[in-house]
Amino acid sequence: MIIVCPSCSGRFYYDENRFQGRAAKRLGCPNCIHEFDILNPHQPAPIVPSGLDPLKFNRYVLLTISGVPMEPFVIQQAFVLIGRSEGEIITHDPQCSRRHAHVHLEQDGSVWLEDLGSTNGTLLKGQPIQVKSRLENNSEFACGQTRFQLMIHPIARSRKST
């Protein structure tokens, strides 16, 4: 799996087998030595307790893995519009509709993808989506020729001493 450092945005490969069944792993970036946690892509992302802001528990990042290169996009609001010429993420992809899809961050921390009636459709796991579909950590989806990956990083919280 490709890991993106939340500090320097450096990308590096991490072998998923190294999780050895654990839900998360603490890594040090080989570029800037920043330490951060990553979630096992084969386990669901943690659910945020009711009534709390999911952005205080997790960092949600959309990466472009093919198409026009873009900086990692940190989700900081409930709705993120993806489009060729409109939205928070502008692809400049001729195969992408002007207003193609949106990513929705729910209050419980779940992330959903919805096609907005685009001409070429939105693909999740290589299949066109017809209804709002849930994204998990490391989910890949395509709008036109642009492929994205969702990364969910838990935010380190200080532990209270007893």
Side-chain angles (χ1 to χ4, degrees), residues 84-96:
R84 178 185 67 242
S85 59
E86 287 185 25
E88 288 74 30
I89 299 176
I90 298 176
T91 65
H92 302 289
D93 177 348
Q95 298 297 312
C96 189

Side-chain angles (χ1 to χ4, degrees), residues 16-37:
E16 295 174 22
N17 294 322
R18 294 177 65 190
F19 280 100
Q20 299 175 332
R22 288 177 272 186
K25 195 93 173 178
R26 185 122 183 113
L27 296 181
C29 175
N31 298 332
C32 71
I33 321 225
H34 175 77
E35 288 192 2
F36 58 98
D37 294 322

Side-chain angles (χ1 to χ4, degrees), residues 2 11 13 20 23-24 26 32 34 36-37 39 48 60 69 81 113 118 122-123 140 152:
I2 302 299
R11 296 179 186 208
Y13 177 79
Q20 299 175 332
R26 185 122 183 113
C32 71
H34 175 77
F36 58 98
D37 294 322
L39 298 176
V48 176
Y60 302 86
L81 177 63
L113 175 67
S118 65
T122 301
L123 304 180
E140 293 183 15
I152 303 172

